[in-house]
Amino acid sequence: QYWMGESYFSRGQYDVALETFYKVFDFPNENKEDDAQLKIGICYIKLDDTNRAKKELQKYIDQFPQGEFVSKAESYLRQLD
């Protein structure tokens, strides 16, 4: 599911990618939940929904405080302020 979202994202189909990344959470024990959460925030940036992007990026930081992309999420948040 995650890789399908990446495919849509790479083609600039951010609305479809967003829906696909959300579906990652429907699969128990999915090892791409943190990646999907970050991409959800980035999709909202691409869709010019700054408020939702901030919320989703902060959610990534809160849910995955040891995640490998915390600094990246924080960087996006700083750029949105």
Side-chain angles (χ1 to χ4, degrees):
Q1 197 66 44
Y2 173 80
W3 294 110
M4 286 179 12
E6 279 287 352
S7 176
Y8 290 120
F9 186 90
S10 69
R11 291 185 291 198
Q13 295 176 294
Y14 304 117
D15 53 341
V16 180
L18 187 61
E19 292 175 26
T20 308
F21 287 129
Y22 274 117
K23 290 179 183 176
V24 169
F25 299 99
D26 293 339
F27 296 92
N29 303 318
E30 177 60 51
N31 65 350
K32 288 294 202 181
E33 289 179 345
D34 57 338
D35 299 285
Q37 183 61 49
L38 179 67
K39 283 293 191 162
I40 288 168
I42 297 170
C43 282
Y44 281 116
I45 292 171
K46 299 290 189 181
L47 293 169
D48 293 321
D49 189 341
T50 303
N51 289 333
R52 190 67 189 265
K54 288 179 181 180
K55 178 182 173 188
E56 296 298 338
L57 291 167
Q58 188 61 54
K59 185 175 179 180
Y60 171 85
I61 294 166
D62 293 343
Q63 287 187 337
F64 306 101
Q66 304 302 318
E68 66 179 296
F69 302 114
V70 168
S71 62
K72 189 173 193 175
E74 290 171 339
S75 175
Y76 278 116
L77 282 172
R78 283 192 299 275
Q79 293 173 25
L80 294 173
D81 282 336

